[in-house]
Amino acid sequence: MRVLVAEDEEVLAELVATGLRRAGFAVDTVYSGDAALAYLGLHDYDVVVLDRDLPRVHGDEVARRLVADASRTRILMLTASASMEDRVEGLDLGADDYLGKPFEFPELVSRVRALRRRSARPVPPVLERHGLRLDTVRRTAHRDGQELDLSPKEFAVLQILLEADGATVSAEELLERAWDANADPFTGAVRVAMSKLRGKLGEPALIRTVQGVGYAL
């Protein structure tokens, strides 16, 4: 759900981030190794897309620290060198996957999705509850056989609620997992997204508000 892109080529970093957001991820971008460590210390990321040749703190050192801290964040390492020796070295450092530049963007998205599944508790690719059917691979949603036209944010929120399997999810957790670091916790973003999602799901209502706690499906 939440990805950090650590890449010193700012144009490339923003292109990757934009593409991942369109695929339904919440994405933050940084351009140096020290900034990557700072963000990783503040937020719970599922995956970090990590360039090896980062300034100030090398990408290899970022990977070493994540491994030393037993972080649950999965590492997809990027590098301009795609030789076998470099791949082996990157994986030995603790990377979970390795992708050479240049790369095809659909492959990057697919690898991030695969790593995200490994970072979380196992869940099926198709989630179903109360007539809802969410295909997290094809990014489609249906209620009682009728397709739902959901935005990427609405899809992410609904996926989190379905994965909770009836348990209550707090607004803070939704904000942490479905929005990026630029989201203002005081804007009511979760409430607005939830209102739009409820409208698209239709009647009878499926999402209930648990006062003072959060939301449940």
Side-chain angles (χ1 to χ4, degrees):
M1 282 291 176
R2 190 159 189 180
V3 180
L4 177 66
V5 176
E7 165 63 60
D8 67 328
E9 297 180 39
E10 295 189 19
V11 173
L12 176 59
E14 295 306 324
L15 285 173
V16 169
T18 298
L20 289 173
R21 289 185 186 112
R22 288 173 178 168
F25 295 98
V27 186
D28 297 321
T29 54
V30 292
Y31 313 117
S32 64
D34 56 341
L37 289 171
Y39 270 62
L40 288 162
L42 287 171
H43 305 289
D44 186 20
Y45 291 99
D46 296 292
V47 178
V48 56
V49 179
L50 181 66
D51 181 32
R52 285 193 75 176
D53 297 319
L54 290 174
R56 294 201 284 276
V57 176
H58 197 274
D60 290 356
E61 181 60 23
V62 175
R64 288 191 190 97
R65 294 195 196 180
L66 283 173
V67 172
D69 292 341
S71 172
R72 63 178 287 278
T73 301
R74 300 297 183 180
I75 303 169
L76 173 57
M77 191 169 276
L78 298 179
T79 182
S81 177
S83 69
M84 182 187 69
E85 292 79 7
D86 283 314
R87 290 199 302 272
V88 169
E89 185 179 2
L91 294 170
D92 284 346
L93 285 167
D96 298 281
D97 201 356
Y98 197 100
L99 192 59
K101 300 176 184 176
F103 51 82
E104 296 294 331
F105 198 79
E107 181 181 5
L108 173 67
V109 172
S110 179
R111 287 176 183 242
V112 169
R113 282 183 177 148
L115 289 178
R116 188 265 167 181
R117 289 194 294 270
R118 289 167 56 186
S119 72
R121 67 179 179 85
V123 294
V126 177
L127 301 167
E128 296 185 83
R129 188 180 179 88
H130 300 312
L132 286 173
R133 188 176 192 276
L134 206 70
D135 188 322
T136 63
V137 177
R138 294 183 175 86
R139 308 293 295 175
T140 59
H142 294 79
R143 180 176 184 182
D144 298 328
Q146 298 295 313
E147 187 169 4
L148 301 171
D149 182 20
L150 303 182
S151 70
K153 193 69 66 186
E154 292 159 356
F155 191 99
V157 169
L158 185 57
Q159 181 175 341
I160 293 168
L161 292 174
L162 280 165
E163 288 179 356
D165 198 25
T168 302
V169 182
S170 69
E172 291 78 13
E173 182 178 353
L174 287 169
L175 195 66
E176 171 69 21
R177 293 178 59 189
W179 276 262
D180 60 30
N182 294 317
D184 186 341
F186 302 107
T187 60
V190 173
R191 179 176 50 79
V192 172
M194 197 64 69
S195 176
K196 292 180 179 179
L197 179 58
R198 281 172 163 150
K200 291 184 179 182
L201 291 179
E203 298 294 336
L206 292 178
I207 300 172
R208 62 187 176 91
T209 300
V210 183
Q211 291 298 329
V213 182
Y215 303 91
L217 193 65

